[in-house]
Amino acid sequence: MPDADTDLLVGVGRFHLGRNAPDRAAYALNRALELDGDSADRVLGELENSLAHDECSLDVLTTAARACRLGGQPRRAVEMLMEIEGRDSQRLETVLAEFRDLRAGYPDQILPAASMAEVLWRQDSPEAAVRVAREAATMDAYPLHERVAMLREFHERDGGNTGLSLALADLLAEQGDRSEACDLIEVTRDRDDFDADLAAEVTGRLHRKFADHAGLALLHHDLLTRCGRVGEALEALPPSGALDSTTLAQVTTTFEQHRQQVVADPDHALNFGRALILQERSDDALQIFETAAALESLPNAHPILMEWAGLLHAQGETQRS
C-alpha cells in the first residue's frame, strides 16, 4: 500500500488520541501497523503520552505492544503484554497470540516463551504452562543457563511433575551438573509416570562425562535394565575394584542375575570374577574365569587369562595355571 495510506491512518490515530478516544485511535494505528510494519516507531511515538498514564487504555497498550514487537523492542512488548493480562484476563487469547508472534520474531530470545508460560500459569493452566516451558527448554537457540533457570523456576512450583523434573535433569546433564540431575532422577524413579527411557538418556549423557563415578554408573545401569537394555546395562557397570562393600554386593547380584550374558562376554566375566574375589568367593570366580576362557572368541592376550592363571596359582593348582 502507498505510504500515504499509512500517513493517513497515523494521522487519524493522532486525531482520536487528542479527542480522548483511545479505542478508535488504537484501531487506526493497528491498521497502520498492518499496512506497514516499518511504521512501528511512528506509531509508538504517537502513543508514548498515553502510555505514560497509570491507567493507560488496554486497547492502546495492545497496539503499543504490537508496535514494540515490530520495532525491535521485545522486552518492552513482553512487559506490556504481562500488564494487559494482569489487568484483564479476558484478553488472554490476544496476549497469547502476541506472544506466539514474539517467539516467531525473536527465535533466539527465551523471554517471550518464558513469559507466555508464566501467563498460562497465572491463568490456572499449569499443564499448558509447563508444556510451553518444556518445549522452550529444547530450543538450542536459547542460552542453556536461561533454559535451566526457566525450568528450575517452574519446578519449584510444581515439583511433583515428573516430566518437568526429567526435563530439568536433562538440561542439568547437558550443563554437566551431575549431582542435581541424579537427585531429580532418584526422587522421581518410583513414580507411576516415570519415563525410564528419558532418564536413561540423561544418565547416559552424564556417564560419558563422569565415567569414573561409580554411583552414577550404577544408576545408569539400573535404568538401562529397567528399559530392557541388559547388554548396555552390563557395559555401564563400574570396575569392581572401585566399589565399596555394599555396592560391590549389589553389582555381584546384578552379574548373577544375568550370568549367562555375563560369561559370554570376557570383559563382563572379568569384572564379575574380580567382584567375587573381592568378596572372598574365589571358587565361584574360578568357575567364571574357566567358562569365559573357553570362549572361542576370546582374544589370546585377554586379561582374563592372566586373572585365571593367577587365581589357580593362588589356590595351589600350579599345574593347571
Side-chain angles (χ1 to χ4, degrees), residues 238-243 248 251-252 255 262 266-282 284-286 288-289 302-308 311:
S240 301
L243 306 177
L248 183 63
V251 169
T252 304
F255 278 133
V262 170
D267 292 332
H268 297 334
L270 178 60
N271 203 12
F272 185 18
R274 286 172 173 170
L276 292 168
I277 292 171
L278 290 170
Q279 293 182 293
E280 300 182 355
R281 295 172 57 185
S282 296
D284 293 334
L286 193 59
I288 296 299
F289 290 156
H302 195 279
I304 201 169
L305 296 172
M306 292 298 296
E307 290 279 349
W308 181 33
L311 188 56

Side-chain angles (χ1 to χ4, degrees), residues 77-105:
V78 166
E79 293 171 354
M80 291 177 178
L81 292 173
M82 298 296 282
E83 180 180 345
I84 293 166
E85 180 273 333
R87 288 173 55 187
D88 184 1
S89 61
Q90 298 301 312
R91 295 180 181 243
L92 176 61
E93 290 305 318
T94 298
V95 169
L96 293 178
E98 274 298 314
F99 272 128
R100 283 190 284 270
D101 288 340
L102 271 171
R103 293 177 65 184

Side-chain angles (χ1 to χ4, degrees), residues 242-256:
L243 306 177
D244 58 47
S245 58
T246 301
T247 307
L248 183 63
Q250 295 174 350
V251 169
T252 304
T253 298
T254 297
F255 278 133
E256 289 173 335

